[in-house]
């Protein structure tokens, strides 16, 4: 099925750093202290490191973090071996009596620790294998850290000399301000020799080249991440280990389709090579799967130990932590726009976290609630008695297993309380789903009007999962990843080869990029997400579903990028899309103004209900705007004053729907994007309903004509069909 879907068309979190190819920077010394960057060999790596340097607060913080990670690696290795081989547990648990060093019956920690020679003598083959393999990985990481040190020292020089930004001033500048300075340096020193001026989109392309491909593959359901399991049903599995292997195979590995960071191999652009390349890619996937399988015991052990050391203290202090939720890795790719940087995505998902948590918490099981209340009552009663006895006499805590019982009871109470709903909980699933959509921007179309159903709740849980599920997925990743690569990913080899050939375009000064990332609404847009200008009878685009991005990804990505980069010069097709949407907004606003609709009814029309008060659209603000015209045009044509470094610069908004409209400087940029998203979703729903209506009418007319020709007596009957004779939905 996938081969049919991705056949040839005729002739046809987080380590973002690609592996280095050759010398990254060619530095030409200049008179004085300044350095001149008049040619950068690998602009992808250069811009990625420039971006990470800003986001990670400069050279000192980055190197300190990487150095401490090396020490943490050694600590986990040494401490885990120490716990397995160097502790005399019978003595520690007093199962074996051992004379203490101080001659008393009291046992010290030193009594339970074996001598070094005895400890080393107990090492077996598995321990030595684990030690040697981890030491080898640690040495490779040391080399990588030293390499990064030299590279980021060059980036530091670039910030200090070329951009005139000192490290202590990084946190006072947004990335978009840094990006503007980079563009100015390009004009002066020509870092890219193939293009005089680098646009905002050019820089985004180089930073997000591979991520845009992954976003497109997830959008087109090309990556094997959905699986139907017996009893459990459909599950989504995408761990960081699986993502790492996919990137290794497709982007930066020795057998990857990319010749370097910016150029796809020429064979992948030839249709007559597709089967040969698919066979080779399938073999490479198989061998990578075998290597993963052989290393899985070591990686699994490391994952378990690291997770234990990382989460044990948190779980002991806050047992309910695993019951909280987080955005899944799959959810981040599904909800990500084309050309959206990490800090932009994280800021948007952070704003969607609260309504998403509220939405998931309103689904409670009455049966589980009854059980949880009784478990909490019994466990809490026993825990309370033990606490009172401990306060009365502290020797109670020295009784065998009393402290263990208190810890377990506390965890049980904290865990089961998560199943007891808040007594002040209000059932408003549709309102909360609208608030989620305002920030998440992408939700499956069949969720519309179905937010109250368990099916939608379970599907949303694939995007917004429990932290316990996330942790379990990462722990199982070393075991599951080889099977997914071997039995699922290999089967997509031909589809992947076709995808790279059909959806790769060469951009001057940038190289080969995913064509979806160009955000060309004519090539990859969807007719139901666009409107025709006055007097036109057809949509502005005509293409098949294979070329269309799903869920309005092209249109919404274009809006988001233009909102984020207001000075970007839009291409002709993008300008046409914006113009038609502006015209549609004016028509809708004038229509509602003429009908004298009250301000309180406006949010309902656009899907912006009372649940969006948390987004800044309060009742008082709505009453001050007597029409949709003022609500959209004033709210969506503002500037963000004093924006944080995570949310972007001071900027204008794409949706300035009326020429000469006065800007409102007191509203955040994300409000404008939220309103833009809701409007486009409502516009899409309206367009799709109209399209379905036209098809039904055509089908009805064709059926009626056929009936009249075969049975002339029907001409005298009523023209409006009866309900039970209405045609089926097309």
């Amino acid at each position: 099925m996938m081969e049919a879907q991705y056949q040839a068309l005729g002739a046809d979190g987080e380590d973002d750093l690609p592996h280095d190819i050759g010398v990254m920077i060619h530095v030409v010394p200049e008179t004085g202290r300044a350095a001149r960057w008049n040619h950068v060999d690998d602009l992808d790596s250069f811009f990625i490191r420039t971006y990470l340097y800003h986001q990670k607060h400069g050279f000192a913080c980055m190197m300190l973090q990487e150095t401490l990670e090396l020490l943490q690696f050694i600590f986990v290795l040494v401490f885990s071996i120490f716990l397995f081989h160097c502790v005399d547990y019978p003595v520690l648990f007093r199962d074996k009596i051992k004379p203490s060093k101080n001659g008393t019956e009291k046992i010290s920690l030193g009594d339970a620790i074996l001598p070094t020679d005895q400890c080393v003598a107990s090492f077996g083959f598995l321990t030595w294998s684990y030690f040697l393999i981890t030491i080898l990985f640690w040495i490779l990481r040391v080399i990588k850290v030293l390499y990064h040190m030299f590279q980021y020292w060059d980036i530091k020089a670039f910030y200090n000399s070329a951009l005139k930004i000192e490290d202590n001033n990084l946190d006072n500048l947004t990335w978009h301000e840094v990006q503007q300075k980079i563009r100015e340096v390009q004009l002066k020193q020509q870092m890219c020799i193939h293009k005089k001026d680098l646009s905002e989109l050019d820089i985004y392309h180089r930073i997000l080249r591979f991520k845009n491909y992954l976003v497109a593959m997830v959008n087109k359901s090309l990556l094997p991440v959905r699986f139907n399991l017996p009893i459990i049903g459909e599950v989504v599995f995408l761990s960081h280990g699986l993502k790492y292997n996919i990137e290794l195979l497709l982007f930066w590995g020795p057998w990857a389709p990319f010749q370097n960071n910016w150029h796809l191999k020429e064979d992948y652009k030839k249709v007559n090579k597709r089967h040969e390349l698919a066979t080779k890619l399938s073999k490479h996937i198989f061998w990578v799967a075998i290597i993963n399988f052989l290393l899985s015991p070591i990686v699994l052990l490391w994952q378990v130990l690291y997770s234990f050391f990382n989460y044990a203290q948190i779980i002991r202090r806050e047992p309910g932590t695993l019951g909280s939720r987080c955005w899944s890795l799959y959810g981040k790719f599904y909800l990500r726009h084309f050309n959206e940087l990490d800090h932009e995505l994280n800021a948007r998902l952070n704003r969607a976290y609260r309504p998403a948590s509220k939405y998931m918490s309103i689904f409670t099981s009455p049966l589980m609630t009854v059980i949880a209340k009784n478990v909490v009552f019994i466990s809490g009663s026993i825990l309370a008695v033990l606490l009172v006895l401990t306060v009365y006499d502290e020797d109670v805590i020295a009784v065998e297993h009393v402290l263990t019982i208190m810890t377990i009871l506390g965890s049980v109470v904290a865990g089961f309380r998560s199943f007891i709903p808040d007594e002040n909980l209000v059932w408003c699933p549709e309102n909360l789903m609208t608030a989620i959509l305002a920030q998440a921007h992408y939700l499956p179309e069949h969720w519309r009007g179905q937010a109250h159903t368990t099916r939608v709740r379970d599907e949303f849980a694939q995007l917004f999962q429990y932290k316990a599920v996330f942790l379990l997925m990462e722990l199982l990743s070393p075991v599951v990843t080889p099977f997914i690569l071997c039995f699922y990913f290999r089967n997509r080899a031909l589809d992947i080869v076709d995808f790279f050939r059909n959806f790769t375009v060469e951009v001057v000064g940038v190289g080969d990029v995913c064509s979806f990332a160009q955000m060309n609404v004519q090539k990859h847009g969807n007719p139901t997400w666009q409107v025709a200008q006055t007097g036109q009878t057809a949509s502005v685009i005509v293409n098949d579903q294979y070329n269309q991005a799903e869920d309005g990804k092209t249109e919404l990505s274009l809006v988001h990028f233009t909102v984020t980069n207001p000075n970007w010069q839009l291409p002709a097709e993008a300008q046409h899309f914006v113009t038609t949407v502006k015209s549609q907004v004016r028509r809708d606003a004038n229509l509602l103004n003429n009908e004298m609709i009250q301000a309180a009814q406006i949010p309902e029309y656009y899907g912006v209900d009372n649940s969006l008060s948390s987004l800044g659209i309060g009742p008082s603000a709505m009453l001050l705007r007597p029409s949709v015209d003022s609500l959209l045009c004033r709210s969506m044509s503002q500037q963000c004053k004093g924006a944080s470094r995570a949310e972007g610069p001071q900027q204008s908004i794409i949706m300035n729907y009326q020429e000469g409209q006065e800007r409102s400087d007191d509203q955040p940029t994300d409000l404008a994007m939220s309103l833009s998203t809701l409007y486009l979703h409502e516009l899409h729903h309206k367009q799709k309903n109209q399209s379905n209506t036209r098809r039904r009418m055509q089908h009805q007319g064709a059926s009626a004509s056929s009936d009249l020709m075969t049975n002339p007596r029907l001409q005298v009957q009523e023209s409006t069909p009866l309900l039970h004779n209405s045609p089926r939905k097309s």
Side-chain angles (χ1 to χ4, degrees):
M1 177 178 179
M2 288 303 301
E3 183 172 349
Q5 183 180 359
Y6 283 93
Q7 61 185 344
L9 296 179
D12 299 37
E14 297 242 346
D15 185 9
D16 299 326
L17 199 62
H19 282 224
D20 307 286
I21 301 174
V23 180
M24 186 189 72
I25 301 177
H26 174 66
V27 180
V28 179
E30 195 180 51
T31 56
R33 295 185 303 170
R36 187 180 176 203
W37 285 264
N38 66 344
H39 175 216
V40 179
D41 293 332
D42 184 1
L43 268 177
D44 282 35
S45 297
F46 181 72
F47 284 151
I48 289 174
R49 289 191 172 90
T50 303
Y51 172 71
L52 293 177
Y53 191 90
H54 174 264
Q55 294 296 305
K56 295 185 177 182
H57 315 288
F59 182 81
C61 289
M62 296 183 71
M63 291 300 101
L64 178 62
Q65 176 65 29
E66 293 201 23
T67 302
L68 293 179
E69 286 178 356
L70 289 175
L71 297 178
Q72 188 181 81
F73 193 99
I74 288 294
F75 171 79
V76 173
L77 171 63
V78 173
F79 192 50
S80 59
I81 293 178
F82 171 81
L83 292 177
F84 276 106
H85 292 279
C86 300
V87 178
D88 193 345
Y89 288 101
V91 173
L92 183 65
F93 297 147
R94 300 183 67 92
D95 294 333
K96 181 176 70 175
I97 303 300
K98 178 180 179 180
S100 60
K101 297 178 181 179
N102 53 17
T104 64
E105 295 183 357
K106 187 175 181 180
I107 298 177
S108 64
L109 286 177
D111 298 327
I113 298 177
L114 298 174
T116 303
D117 55 346
Q118 186 177 349
C119 176
V120 175
S122 65
F123 288 6
F125 174 76
L126 292 179
T127 303
W128 281 113
S129 300
Y130 169 71
F131 179 80
L132 293 177
I133 292 176
T134 49
I135 284 296
L136 177 61
F137 277 111
W138 185 80
I139 292 174
L140 293 177
R141 289 193 62 177
V142 170
I143 296 174
K144 182 178 178 180
V145 169
L146 293 176
Y147 187 46
H148 283 178
M149 185 176 298
F150 288 104
Q151 290 178 323
Y152 282 111
W153 186 259
D154 285 336
I155 300 297
K156 175 181 171 63
F158 175 73
Y159 267 88
N160 299 158
S161 301
L163 302 183
K164 307 300 181 183
I165 301 175
E166 299 296 333
D167 283 9
N168 56 9
N169 198 36
L170 277 176
D171 292 341
N172 299 325
L173 297 172
T174 67
W175 165 250
H176 293 81
E177 291 171 324
V178 174
Q179 181 177 266
Q180 182 59 36
K181 290 179 177 292
I182 293 175
R183 295 183 61 207
E184 294 172 359
V185 171
Q186 163 65 19
L187 293 174
K188 297 177 181 178
Q189 303 193 20
Q190 291 296 295
M191 294 179 293
C192 175
I193 61 176
H194 302 290
K195 194 174 183 180
K196 182 178 180 180
D197 183 20
L198 290 177
S199 68
E200 295 88 345
L201 186 59
D202 293 337
I203 297 176
Y204 272 71
H205 274 330
R206 288 191 173 275
I207 296 176
L208 300 169
R209 188 189 305 272
F210 296 154
K211 280 195 174 180
N212 282 330
Y213 274 104
L214 287 178
V215 171
M217 289 179 177
V218 171
N219 180 256
K220 299 298 291 184
S221 301
L222 181 58
L223 297 183
V225 295
R226 293 185 176 274
F227 309 94
N228 285 312
L229 301 180
I231 302 176
I232 299 178
E234 185 183 64
V235 297
V236 172
F237 186 92
L238 181 60
S239 65
H240 285 86
L242 178 58
K243 170 179 170 286
Y244 176 86
N245 280 275
I246 291 174
E247 292 176 337
L248 169 67
L249 286 162
L250 299 184
F251 301 123
W252 53 264
W255 306 310
F258 277 82
Q259 182 175 334
N260 48 44
N261 286 341
W262 61 90
H263 183 66
L264 188 70
K265 293 178 180 177
E266 291 299 325
D267 285 350
Y268 276 84
K269 301 178 181 180
K270 301 174 182 178
V271 67
N272 60 335
K273 293 280 189 177
R274 57 191 296 264
H275 289 286
E276 177 186 347
L277 293 172
T279 302
K280 290 182 180 179
L281 180 59
S282 178
K283 291 181 180 179
H284 299 157
I285 295 174
F286 174 77
W287 286 112
V288 170
I290 293 298
I291 295 174
N292 273 267
F293 178 76
L294 295 177
L295 293 177
S296 59
I298 300 296
V299 179
L300 177 62
L301 178 60
W302 177 265
Q303 290 276 65
V304 171
L305 292 174
Y306 183 82
S307 299
F308 174 77
F309 295 145
N310 193 38
Y311 291 100
Q313 177 64 20
I314 299 176
I315 295 174
R316 187 194 68 81
R317 187 175 64 253
E318 301 177 13
T321 300
L322 296 180
S324 59
R325 291 185 176 269
C326 62
W327 296 102
S328 67
L329 184 59
Y330 167 76
K332 290 181 178 180
F333 276 109
Y334 175 79
L335 298 174
R336 189 170 196 146
H337 294 293
F338 294 121
N339 304 307
E340 183 174 25
L341 293 171
D342 288 346
H343 73 278
E344 297 168 352
L345 173 67
N346 292 333
R348 185 162 59 85
L349 295 184
N350 289 342
R351 293 192 294 268
Y353 184 87
R354 181 172 296 178
S357 298
K358 289 182 179 179
Y359 173 76
M360 297 301 293
S361 66
I362 65 176
F363 288 89
T364 58
S365 170
L367 181 62
M368 194 63 198
T369 300
V370 172
I371 295 175
K373 287 182 178 179
N374 284 272
V375 171
V376 169
F377 174 78
I378 295 173
S379 303
S381 300
I382 299 174
L383 180 60
V385 171
L386 292 176
L387 288 174
V388 171
L389 292 176
T390 303
V391 172
Y392 177 75
D393 189 349
E394 62 182 10
D395 291 335
V396 173
I397 202 171
V399 177
E400 188 176 17
H401 299 315
V402 167
L403 182 60
T404 302
I405 293 173
M406 293 175 65
T407 302
I408 294 175
L409 289 175
S411 301
V412 169
V413 170
F416 275 85
R417 274 180 179 168
S418 62
F419 294 102
I420 302 176
D422 185 359
E423 60 182 6
N424 299 316
L425 186 67
V426 178
W427 177 260
C428 52
E430 294 295 341
N431 293 353
L432 290 171
M433 187 59 73
T434 302
I436 296 171
L437 177 60
Q439 298 296 348
H441 298 175
Y442 298 102
L443 294 178
E445 190 173 338
H446 66 271
W447 289 8
R448 187 182 181 93
Q450 301 295 318
H452 62 283
T453 62
T454 305
R455 179 174 67 93
V456 172
R457 186 263 185 195
D458 293 340
E459 291 180 6
F460 185 69
Q462 297 172 349
L463 307 178
F464 195 60
Q465 61 186 185
Y466 283 115
K467 286 187 178 179
V469 175
F470 169 81
L471 179 59
L472 180 62
M473 186 180 297
E474 294 298 326
L475 291 177
L476 294 177
S477 178
V479 178
V480 177
T481 294
F483 290 95
I484 294 178
L485 292 175
C486 188
F487 298 107
Y488 293 93
F489 196 57
R490 282 182 66 202
N491 298 335
R492 305 288 177 89
L494 184 60
D495 301 327
I496 292 171
V497 171
D498 289 338
F499 185 88
F500 278 118
R501 184 183 68 259
N502 296 328
F503 299 116
T504 295
V505 295
E506 184 175 358
V507 179
V508 177
V510 177
D512 292 331
V513 300
C514 180
S515 61
F516 286 103
Q518 288 291 93
M519 302 176 294
N520 188 325
V521 293
Q522 291 185 345
K523 183 177 181 181
H524 295 304
N526 190 314
T528 60
W529 283 86
Q530 302 179 38
V531 292
Q533 289 182 334
T534 305
Q536 292 182 341
T537 59
S539 299
V540 295
I541 60 172
V542 178
N543 54 41
D544 55 20
Q545 189 173 1
Y546 178 75
N547 288 291
Q548 294 174 3
E550 307 297 331
D551 301 322
K553 180 74 76 172
T554 302
E555 290 79 8
L556 289 170
S557 295
L558 175 59
V559 171
H560 179 268
F561 189 82
T562 314
V563 168
T564 309
N565 299 273
N567 296 323
W568 177 52
Q569 298 297 318
L570 279 72
E573 66 278 358
Q575 186 63 55
H576 175 77
F577 169 75
V578 172
T579 301
T580 55
V581 174
K582 286 181 179 180
S583 301
Q584 182 65 32
V585 171
R586 293 192 189 100
R587 289 195 295 269
D588 289 342
N590 292 334
L591 177 62
L592 293 183
N593 284 335
N594 293 336
E595 294 177 356
M596 301 298 291
I597 293 182
Q598 296 180 354
Q601 295 174 317
I602 294 170
E604 183 178 356
Y605 176 81
Y606 283 96
V608 188
D609 47 42
N610 293 334
S611 67
L612 291 185
S613 59
S614 62
L615 300 178
I617 313 176
S620 59
M622 292 176 182
L623 291 175
L624 293 175
R625 296 173 171 83
S627 66
V628 173
D629 186 23
S630 60
L631 175 63
L632 284 174
C633 298
R634 291 179 63 83
S635 297
M636 303 170 79
S637 62
Q638 44 73 44
Q639 285 185 323
C640 180
K641 279 188 129 182
S644 67
R645 67 194 302 270
E647 295 188 9
Q650 302 180 7
Q651 54 191 331
S652 301
I653 300 304
I654 179 179
M655 297 301 183
N656 185 5
Y657 292 113
Q658 283 191 336
E659 302 297 335
Q661 183 67 254
E662 183 181 358
R663 293 177 178 175
S664 173
D665 293 337
D666 59 349
Q667 298 177 2
T669 300
D670 61 89
L671 173 59
M673 186 61 206
S674 298
L675 290 171
S676 303
T677 299
L678 294 172
Y679 181 81
L680 288 175
H681 273 273
E682 193 66 27
L683 184 65
H684 162 66
H685 182 66
K686 180 180 177 182
Q687 291 283 102
K688 189 169 183 180
N689 285 344
Q690 291 175 351
S691 178
N692 291 337
T693 301
R694 286 194 297 267
R695 285 198 297 266
R696 285 196 298 268
M697 292 178 64
Q698 292 172 358
H699 179 72
Q700 176 184 338
S703 300
S705 299
S706 177
D707 291 341
L708 285 173
M709 294 179 64
T710 57
N711 190 356
R713 289 180 297 175
L714 293 177
Q715 296 179 6
V716 298
Q717 296 180 355
E718 185 178 4
S719 60
T720 303
L722 300 177
L723 291 178
H724 64 274
N725 290 328
S726 59
R728 292 177 297 174
K729 292 183 178 180
S730 58

